[in-house]
Amino acid sequence: MIYGPIAVVAPCHAYDPAKLEAGLTLARRAGFTLELLPDLLQPYRYFAAPPAHRAAQLIQALTDPRYGAVWLVRGGSGMMQLLPALEGVALRSDRPVIGFSDATALFAVLDRRNAGPIVHGPVLHSLASTERADVAELFALLRSGVEPIRWQGATLVSGHSEGPIVGGNLSLVASLCGTPHQIDAKGRILLLEEVGEPAFRIERMLTQLALAGVFDGAVGIGLGDLGDVPSGADYRMHDVVMDTLKPLNIPVLANLPFGHRTRNQPFVWNARASIDDGELRITSPSLLA
């Protein structure tokens, strides 16, 4: 349950005001109170606003005691640029932060500092284009939690594993490698999704994660939408990812319903989950997990 208005903040890419308004309308009709921080859109290069402005607004959204949650307008790019500004900022452990894509970088910081809860789910910019069932599940999660979630997927490496879930966009997880914010998947099930990247870049990023030790100690991998291979190719995206993931000798489940296209079911970082028999079951999908 969220107590207080939700701060709407744009710390990343420039956005389409019409798409934001469509998302705001859906959320408000569902009963949520959203407050946009002032002067969100001050286009600077490809960002929503200059870095100092975006950083100040993000910090305000994360710390102002008036707010009960934070919802990002969109992803795209720009979040990593703001991470140094969060050093020394007192981050709360009772303030849900909602987003995906570029938000993965922010999530890594929140996770290391036990802040959040962290809700990987549609940003406001994409809310109106997300499948209605996924939007309804996000709203239910933000109100009071949902029943245990069962995601059916394609088994790439069989086996059983249990642990808290973390993850998000593959490009961001790879970009965090070698920084103080590199994601720690030890004892966890790592979830990854991507969009618009050719197979050779998917392979390269997964190899980067392996070389950087991100997979060390992980107990399972869950793959959402990873995009497509060229028409007529003699390989599938699953063949590409298996080159890196099969040697890990941990369960790998693909085709899970989260990512950049129309399916983007929400999940909470560090919720308890298990992989077994082609299914990812999230057993504590509450903001209090």
Side-chain angles (χ1 to χ4, degrees):
M1 180 68 70
I2 293 174
Y3 299 97
I6 299 174
V8 175
V9 65
C12 303
H13 219 77
Y15 60 86
D16 179 343
K19 290 183 178 180
L20 170 58
E21 188 58 38
L24 291 170
T25 297
L26 281 176
R28 285 169 174 157
R29 285 176 179 169
F32 296 99
T33 300
L34 296 96
E35 291 189 8
L36 281 68
L37 273 73
D39 302 318
L40 283 181
L41 190 58
Q42 299 182 19
Y44 174 78
R45 297 177 184 165
Y46 36 82
F47 302 124
H53 182 75
R54 290 182 288 118
Q57 292 202 326
L58 178 61
I59 292 170
Q60 181 180 349
L62 292 170
T63 59
D64 190 322
R66 292 185 56 252
Y67 298 125
V70 180
W71 203 336
L72 273 61
V73 171
R74 68 160 296 176
S77 62
M79 184 63 77
M80 287 193 64
Q81 190 180 54
L82 308 185
L83 299 188
L86 297 178
E87 294 178 11
V89 174
L91 300 175
R92 301 173 64 101
S93 61
D94 59 351
R95 179 165 299 180
V97 180
I98 309 148
F100 81 115
S101 189
D102 211 47
T104 304
L106 174 60
F107 291 171
V109 173
L110 297 175
D111 180 56
R112 283 189 174 270
R113 293 170 62 178
N114 296 313
I118 298 165
V119 181
H120 185 285
V123 290
L124 285 160
H125 200 257
S126 67
L127 199 63
S129 60
T130 301
E131 284 205 11
R132 287 295 179 263
D134 297 346
V135 173
E137 191 159 320
L138 175 61
F139 289 165
L141 176 66
L142 298 179
R143 289 190 188 101
S144 58
V146 295
E147 296 298 317
I149 297 168
R150 294 176 180 268
W151 285 353
Q152 300 298 318
T155 298
L156 301 187
V157 180
S158 61
H160 172 81
S161 66
E162 297 183 13
I165 50 176
V166 295
N169 181 253
L170 173 58
S171 293
L172 269 297
V173 176
S175 296
L176 290 166
C177 289
T179 75
H181 316 294
Q182 178 170 316
I183 287 179
D184 180 6
K186 188 176 298 182
R188 294 160 143 180
I189 297 172
L190 179 63
L191 304 185
L192 299 169
E193 60 82 25
E194 190 50 83
V195 65
E197 296 287 0
F200 76 88
R201 289 181 181 166
I202 297 289
E203 176 276 321
R204 184 167 61 200
M205 288 186 284
L206 290 173
T207 300
Q208 181 180 5
L209 266 58
L211 293 173
V214 172
F215 294 130
D216 293 355
V219 299
I221 305 291
L223 302 174
D225 189 0
L226 292 176
D228 304 310
V229 299
S231 177
D234 62 353
Y235 59 89
R236 303 169 303 160
M237 190 65 80
H238 291 174
D239 299 324
V240 174
V241 302
M242 285 293 281
D243 288 345
T244 305
L245 300 183
K246 187 175 181 180
L248 300 177
N249 294 315
I250 57 177
V252 179
L253 194 59
N255 296 349
L256 298 176
F258 70 97
H260 272 74
R261 291 195 266 200
T262 59
R263 297 308 311 273
N264 197 9
Q265 290 197 12
F267 65 86
V268 180
W269 273 44
N270 293 308
R272 296 294 304 179
S274 63
I275 294 177
D276 204 4
D277 295 329
E279 179 180 85
L280 175 70
R281 185 178 187 196
I282 305 174
T283 55
S284 58
S286 166
L287 295 183
L288 302 177

